[in-house]
C-alpha cells in the first residue's frame, strides 16, 4: 500500500471515528449518497460540495373580478448551480389541484373544481414550446430542446391563466369581490442534491418545497381594490390617493395602530387612485414564494414593530379583514406581540422579513409575509392560530425545509413556538390545557396503529391521524423534550447554530440531528433514534419502590424518552417533587432507577408528565 493510500485510509478512519455518532441513525440510500458526495456533511453543515438552484422571477399578473380569471406573464432566469446537465424542466403549478383529475386526500364539492392552468405561450432560451398544460397534474415535465448545462442560466418565458375556484381552500374566492391568490404562477420545481427533480404530485394535504428566489411582480386590479402581498409595495403613491399613501408610510415607523382605510372610506371609493385599473408593484428577495390578496371592501389596519433591537429595524404589521371579522380587530396588536416574541425569545431570531399581513380568509395557512386565517368568533383561539402561522416564518420560510416529505420539520416547530408564546400570552396553565386538549389528547387516547408510525416516515406516506400527529404533536413533543433535557441556554445555542447554518438553504432531518449533535458537543443520536425512528408512544408506570425508600423504578412501557415529575407524599404529609429529564432514559430505554433521599417513609408516589400525556395514567401512582 502506497503512502497516499495509507493517508487516505488514516483520514477515512479519523473521519469515521469523529462522526460515527452521525452514522448510527438510519438513512435512506439517496440520503447516504448525498453525504458521500459531500453536498452534506456529518458535522451538520452544508458539505463542501453543497449547491442549490435559484430563480429570478419577473411577473405581471392581472385579476379580473368579473370573470374570476387570474392571468400572468412571467420571465424566469433560472440558474443551474448543480453539476448535472438538465435535459428536462419540471414545472410546478399547485393550483392544478382543482382539476377533477388531480389527486386529493378527501372529497370536494363542485365549487372546488376548475379547469386548471392554461399556457398560452412558452419559450425557453427563445425556443418555442407548445405545452398543453391541460395534460399536466400539479407538476409537468418539459423536454428541453437545449439542455441547461452545469453552472449556467436559462431564460424561461410563460404566459398563462387559470380560474379562481369558487370554493376557497388555501386560495380562491373568499367572497364575490375578495380573493386570496396563492400558488398562482407556474414555477420551476426544486432540483436538489438528494432527489434530483422534485416530482411529487401535490395533494390537498401535503405542503410545499420551494427554492429561494428573487421576485419582482405587479398585480393589476380594478379601481377600489386594495392589493395586499408578499414583499415591499414599491409604488404606494401610484395606486393610493395621497391621504392613504401618507397613512401607510407613517405606519412603517410607529407602534400606533393606524386605520389605513376604515369602513366608510372603503365604501366611499376614495382609497385607491380612480384609474380603471391600478398596477400594484412589489418586490421580495431570497424568499421561497409570493402570494397576494385583494378586496374592494376589506378594512385595512397597519402599524410596525422593532424586530431587531441591535439595528432598530422595524417590520410592517398589517391586517385586511371584513367589517364582520371581529377576530381581526386586535390582529395588529397580536402580531406586534408575536413578532417581538419570536424575535427576542423563542426562537430568538430577529423576524427576517419587512412585513407580516393577516388576511381574513378560510385556510388558516401560512405564506411568506402573510397568513390567510378564518374568522372563528373566538379571539383567544384566533390569536393562537395566527401565532402558529406567523411562527412558520422561520420554518419553512427562513429554513427552506422540504415540507412535502418532512412536514414535522416545520409544523412541529410552529406547534412548539405556538405553545411557548401561549405561555406568555395566557399563562402556563391555560397553555398546557390547550396544548393537551388540541395537540396530544386525541393522539394518546387513540390506540390505532396510525398514531404510532415513526416520525421520520415520509409525510407523503401517512394520512389522516398519522399525518397530523407525526407533523404536529409528536414532533413538537420531541423538540420540547430536547429543550427540557438540554436546558434553555444550551437548547437555544444549538437551535441558533442549526438555524444560522441552514438559513436560506434546504436542510433535511439528518442535517438537524447532526447540527444539534455538533452544537451541543453531545452524542444525542440515542435520543433522535428514540423519538424519530421508532413506533414508541407515551406511557410510563411506577414499577416498584424499594423497602428502604431510597429508590423507585419507573418502567417506560411506551418507550418515548420523556421528561416527568416524581411527586412524593411522605408519611408526615410533606411533599417533594423530583424532576427527571429525558436523559434518565439514555442508558436504559425501558427502565429507570431513581434515587431518593430515603429519610422519610413514603406514603404515595405519582408520576406526572405534564403535557407529555400518559396512555394509561392509572399505573402512574403508587400508594403504601
Amino acid at each position: 500500500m502506497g503512502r497516499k493510500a495509507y493517508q487516505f485510509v488514516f483520514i477515512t478512519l479519523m473521519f469515521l471515528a469523529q462522526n460515527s455518532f452521525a452514522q448510527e441513525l438510519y438513512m435512506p440510500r439517496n440520503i447516504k449518497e448525498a453525504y458521500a458526495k459531500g453536498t452534506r456533511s456529518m458535522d451538520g453543515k452544508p458539505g463542501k460540495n453543497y449547491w442549490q438552484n435559484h430563480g429570478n422571477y419577473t411577473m405581471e399578473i392581472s385579476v379580473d373580478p368579473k370573470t374570476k380569471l387570474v392571468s400572468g406573464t412571467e420571465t424566469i432566469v433560472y440558474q443551474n448551480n448543480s453539476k448535472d446537465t438538465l435535459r428536462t424542466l419540471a414545472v410546478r403549478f399547485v393550483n392544478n389541484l382543482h382539476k377533477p383529475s388531480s389527486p386529493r386526500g378527501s372529497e370536494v364539492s363542485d365549487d372546488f373544481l376548475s379547469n386548471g392552468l392554461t399556457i398560452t405561450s412558452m419559450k425557453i432560451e427563445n425556443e418555442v414550446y407548445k405545452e398543453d398544460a391541460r395534460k399536466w397534474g400539479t407538476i409537468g415535465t418539459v423536454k428541453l430542446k437545449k439542455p441547461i448545462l452545469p453552472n449556467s442560466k436559462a431564460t424561461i418565458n410563460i404566459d398563462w391563466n387559470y380560474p379562481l375556484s369558487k370554493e376557497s381552500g388555501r386560495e380562491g374566492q373568499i367572497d364575490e369581490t375578495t380573493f386570496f391568490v396563492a400558488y398562482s404562477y407556474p414555477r420551476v420545481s426544486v432540483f436538489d442534491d438528494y432527489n434530483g427533480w422534485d416530482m411529487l404530485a401535490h395533494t390537498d394535504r401535503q405542503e410545499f418545497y420551494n427554492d429561494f428566489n428573487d421576485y419582482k411582480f405587479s398585480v393589476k386590479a380594478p379601481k377600489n381594490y386594495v392589493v395586499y402581498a408578499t414583499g415591499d409595495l414599491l409604488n404606494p403613491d401610484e395606486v393610493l390617493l395621497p391621504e392613504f399613501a401618507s397613512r401607510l408610510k407613517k405606519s412603517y415607523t410607529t407602534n400606533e395602530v393606524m386605520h389605513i382605510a376604515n369602513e366608510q372610506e372603503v365604501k366611499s371609493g376614495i382609497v385607491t387612485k380612480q384609474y380603471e385599473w391600478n398596477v400594484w408593484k412589489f418586490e421580495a428577495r431570497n424568499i421561497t414564494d409570493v402570494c397576494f390578496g385583494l378586496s374592494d371592501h376589506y378594512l385595512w389596519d397597519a402599524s410596525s414593530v422593532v424586530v431587531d433591537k441591535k439595528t432598530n429595524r422595524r417590520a410592517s404589521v398589517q391586517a385586511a379583514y371584513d367589517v364582520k371579522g371581529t377576530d381581526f380587530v386586535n390582529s395588529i396588536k397580536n402580531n406586534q406581540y408575536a413578532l417581538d416574541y419570536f424575535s427576542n425569545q423563542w426562537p430568538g431570531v430577529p423576524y427576517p422579513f419587512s412585513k407580516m399581513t393577516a388576511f381574513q380568509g378560510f385556510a388558516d395557512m401560512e405564506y411568506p409575509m402573510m397568513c390567510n386565517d378564518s374568522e372563528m368568533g373566538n379571539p383567544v383561539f384566533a390569536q393562537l392560530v395566527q401565532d402558529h402561522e406567523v411562527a412558520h416564518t422561520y420554518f419553512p420560510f427562513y429554513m427552506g425545509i422540504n415540507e412535502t416529505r418532512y412536514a414535522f420539520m416545520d409544523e412541529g416547530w410552529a406547534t412548539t413556538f405556538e405553545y411557548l408564546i401561549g405561555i406568555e400570552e395566557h399563562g402556563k396553565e391555560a397553555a398546557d390545557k390547550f396544548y393537551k386538549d388540541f395537540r396530544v389528547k386525541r393522539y394518546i387516547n387513540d390506540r390505532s396503529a396510525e398514531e404510532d408510525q415513526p416520525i421520520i416516515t415520509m409525510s407523503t406516506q401517512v394520512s389522516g391521524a398519522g399525518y397530523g400527529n407525526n407533523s404536529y404533536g409528536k414532533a413538537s413533543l420531541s423538540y420540547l423534550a430536547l429543550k427540557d433535557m438540554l436546558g434553555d441556554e444550551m437548547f437555544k445555542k444549538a437551535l441558533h447554530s442549526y438555524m444560522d447554518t441552514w438559513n436560506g438553504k434546504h436542510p433535511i432531518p439528518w442535517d438537524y440531528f447532526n447540527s444539534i449533535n455538533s452544537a451541543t458537543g453531545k452524542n444525542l443520536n440515542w435520543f433522535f433514534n428514540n423519538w424519530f425512528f421508532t413506533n414508541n408512544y407515551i406511557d410510563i408506570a411506577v414499577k416498584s419502590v424499594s423497602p428502604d425508600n431510597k429508590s423507585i423504578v419507573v418502567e417506560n412501557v411506551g418507550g418515548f424518552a420523556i421528561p416527568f415529575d416524581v411527586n412524593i407524599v411522605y408519611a408526615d404529609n410533606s411533599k417533594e417533587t423530583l424532576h427527571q429529564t429525558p436523559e434518565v432514559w439514555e442508558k436504559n430505554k425501558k427502565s429507570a432507577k431513581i434515587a431518593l433521599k430515603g429519610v422519610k417513609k413514603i406514603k404515595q408516589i405519582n408520576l406526572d408528565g405534564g403535557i407529555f400525556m400518559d396512555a394509561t395514567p392509572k399505573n402512574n401512582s403508587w400508594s403504601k
Side-chain angles (χ1 to χ4, degrees):
M1 187 181 290
R3 182 180 177 185
K4 289 185 177 179
Y6 275 115
Q7 288 177 332
F8 175 78
V9 171
F10 176 76
I11 292 170
T12 301
L13 290 173
M14 288 295 292
F15 177 84
L16 292 174
Q18 292 171 4
N19 297 280
S20 60
F21 61 80
Q23 296 182 331
E24 294 169 7
L25 298 175
Y26 161 77
M27 282 188 188
R29 285 171 286 169
N30 62 325
I31 304 299
K32 284 183 180 178
E33 187 178 352
Y35 281 92
K37 290 188 300 187
T39 54
R40 294 169 194 272
S41 172
M42 292 296 187
D43 62 4
K45 297 177 181 178
K48 63 180 181 180
N49 298 324
Y50 180 82
W51 55 268
Q52 64 191 50
N53 290 348
H54 180 271
N56 196 318
Y57 285 68
T58 304
M59 302 186 291
E60 297 177 0
I61 302 172
S62 298
V63 181
D64 189 332
K66 293 181 180 178
T67 63
K68 310 297 190 289
L69 197 71
V70 181
S71 56
T73 295
E74 67 180 297
T75 298
I76 309 166
V77 179
Y78 183 70
Q79 173 74 44
N80 176 22
N81 293 318
S82 77
K83 294 182 179 179
D84 295 277
T85 296
L86 305 181
R87 303 184 186 281
T88 60
L89 192 71
V91 180
R92 185 170 293 277
F93 187 70
V94 172
N95 264 293
N96 269 355
L97 176 71
H98 293 278
K99 290 173 62 174
S101 58
S102 290
R104 283 177 290 273
S106 58
E107 293 182 356
V108 296
S109 73
D110 289 344
D111 286 344
F112 184 84
L113 301 176
S114 75
N115 295 328
L117 177 69
T118 297
I119 292 178
T120 55
S121 173
M122 175 182 274
K123 291 182 181 179
I124 303 175
E125 288 295 282
N126 290 319
E127 294 275 359
V128 176
Y129 288 74
K130 296 185 181 296
E131 293 295 325
D132 187 354
R134 291 175 299 177
K135 297 179 181 179
W136 289 3
T138 53
I139 190 162
T141 301
V142 179
K143 187 175 180 180
L144 294 172
K145 298 177 181 179
K146 296 178 182 177
I148 305 175
L149 300 177
N151 299 309
S152 68
K153 295 179 181 180
T155 300
I156 305 156
N157 300 98
I158 311 176
D159 294 350
W160 49 267
N161 63 73
Y162 77 96
L164 288 163
S165 62
K166 186 174 182 180
E167 180 184 301
S168 175
R170 289 171 172 163
E171 38 62 43
Q173 300 179 42
I174 307 301
D175 60 41
E176 279 296 315
T177 58
T178 303
F179 318 103
F180 197 82
V181 186
Y183 326 119
S184 60
Y185 56 96
R187 65 182 305 141
V188 180
S189 192
V190 176
F191 185 83
D192 63 30
D193 63 311
Y194 60 96
N195 271 314
W197 283 118
D198 177 30
M199 297 300 296
L200 286 177
H202 192 82
T203 74
D204 53 345
R205 190 58 172 132
Q206 268 72 51
E207 296 189 9
F208 309 97
Y209 180 37
N210 298 319
D211 275 322
F212 286 85
N213 299 314
D214 295 332
Y215 293 90
K216 274 192 174 181
F217 65 105
S218 64
V219 179
K220 184 178 177 182
K223 64 182 179 183
N224 299 326
Y225 277 82
V226 175
V227 179
Y228 312 86
T230 300
D232 297 318
L233 176 60
L234 302 179
N235 63 334
D237 295 316
E238 294 177 11
V239 292
L240 294 169
L241 290 170
E243 174 62 25
F244 302 94
S246 176
R247 292 179 194 175
L248 180 62
K249 292 173 188 175
K250 182 180 177 182
S251 75
Y252 296 156
T253 59
T254 182
N255 293 332
E256 177 190 353
V257 178
M258 301 190 63
H259 302 295
I260 307 300
N262 62 32
E263 181 183 7
Q264 187 56 47
E265 290 166 336
V266 171
K267 282 183 177 178
S268 301
I270 58 170
V271 177
T272 73
K273 290 288 182 71
Q274 292 300 293
Y275 305 119
E276 185 177 357
W277 295 83
N278 290 309
V279 178
W280 302 67
K281 298 177 182 178
F282 300 91
E283 183 175 15
R285 292 183 169 274
N286 194 36
I287 203 161
T288 58
D289 200 4
V290 293
C291 66
F292 60 94
L294 66 159
S295 177
D296 68 351
H297 62 274
Y298 266 21
L299 311 188
W300 186 7
D301 294 346
S303 187
S304 65
V305 60
V306 174
V307 292
D308 189 340
K309 293 181 179 178
K310 291 182 179 178
T311 63
N312 213 34
R313 177 173 62 84
R314 285 181 171 270
S316 172
V317 181
Q318 301 185 33
Y321 58 99
D322 187 77
V323 67
K324 297 178 182 177
T326 55
D327 286 347
F328 291 81
V329 172
N330 292 316
S331 182
I332 297 297
K333 287 184 178 180
N334 290 343
N335 271 347
Q336 282 177 314
Y337 186 90
L339 265 58
D340 179 77
Y341 179 91
F342 294 140
S343 297
N344 296 294
Q345 296 191 56
W346 293 106
V349 173
Y351 180 76
F353 304 127
S354 59
K355 183 168 65 177
M356 170 53 69
T357 301
F359 190 92
Q360 183 182 341
F362 293 121
D364 304 322
M365 183 68 193
E366 73 280 358
Y367 311 80
M369 301 194 212
M370 295 192 79
C371 54
N372 172 5
D373 287 342
S374 50
E375 167 66 23
M376 299 177 180
N378 181 334
V380 174
F381 187 62
Q383 182 181 17
L384 182 138
V385 170
Q386 199 159 278
D387 287 344
H388 179 98
E389 309 312 346
V390 174
H392 273 297
T393 290
Y394 298 98
F395 302 86
F397 303 138
Y398 185 80
M399 314 283 288
I401 60 96
N402 188 337
E403 294 180 273
T404 312
R405 281 178 163 82
Y406 306 117
F408 63 87
M409 292 187 73
D410 77 304
E411 295 294 359
W413 283 111
T415 301
T416 298
F417 298 144
E418 155 208 308
Y419 168 66
L420 295 173
I421 194 174
I423 293 173
E424 295 291 315
E425 291 167 341
H426 308 294
K428 191 172 187 307
E429 184 178 352
D432 282 5
K433 184 179 186 307
F434 179 86
Y435 189 92
K436 288 192 284 188
D437 288 348
F438 193 58
R439 299 299 189 188
V440 188
K441 187 175 287 185
R442 184 174 64 180
Y443 147 56
I444 208 61
N445 291 333
D446 180 357
R447 299 176 184 274
S448 64
E450 287 84 355
E451 297 286 14
D452 297 331
Q453 295 171 95
I455 298 175
I456 200 68
T457 307
M458 271 179 53
S459 301
T460 52
Q461 303 302 311
V462 287
S463 59
Y467 178 92
N469 187 39
N470 272 6
S471 304
Y472 295 79
K474 245 162 57 176
S476 174
L477 287 168
S478 81
Y479 302 137
L480 290 168
L482 184 64
K483 178 176 179 287
D484 183 278
M485 183 170 70
L486 296 177
D488 283 1
E489 184 177 350
M490 177 63 78
F491 179 74
K492 183 170 282 190
K493 174 190 171 185
L495 178 59
H496 283 189
S497 177
Y498 168 51
M499 294 180 73
D500 290 346
T501 299
W502 288 96
N503 167 33
K505 299 181 177 66
H506 294 309
I508 55 178
W510 293 266
D511 298 318
Y512 163 67
F513 305 142
N514 295 338
S515 181
I516 299 299
N517 280 339
S518 291
T520 59
K522 296 175 180 288
N523 180 349
L524 296 173
N525 277 8
W526 70 269
F527 178 87
F528 296 131
N529 187 69
N530 176 279
W531 271 98
F532 290 89
F533 295 86
T534 70
N535 298 91
N536 289 338
Y537 60 100
I538 304 173
D539 189 4
I540 57 176
V542 180
K543 187 173 183 180
S544 63
V545 179
S546 65
D548 59 3
N549 296 320
K550 288 189 176 180
S551 66
I552 68 168
V553 175
V554 177
E555 186 179 8
N556 196 345
V557 180
F560 269 143
I562 67 163
F564 61 95
D565 288 337
V566 180
N567 296 314
I568 305 171
V569 180
Y570 294 102
D572 62 1
N573 289 322
S574 60
K575 298 179 181 180
E576 185 178 15
T577 296
L578 302 175
H579 182 69
Q580 307 299 309
T581 79
E583 195 170 14
V584 74
W585 307 110
E586 180 177 3
K587 294 180 179 178
N588 187 335
K589 310 299 186 294
K590 289 296 182 183
S591 183
K593 187 175 182 179
I594 298 169
L596 307 176
K597 293 179 180 177
V599 177
K600 300 178 183 179
K601 290 184 178 181
I602 297 173
K603 183 166 77 173
Q604 184 178 341
I605 290 176
N606 180 65
L607 307 178
D608 183 7
I611 60 173
F612 294 82
M613 293 180 68
D614 202 280
T616 54
K618 289 182 179 179
N619 59 17
N620 286 21
S621 298
W622 175 92
S623 296
K624 186 172 178 61

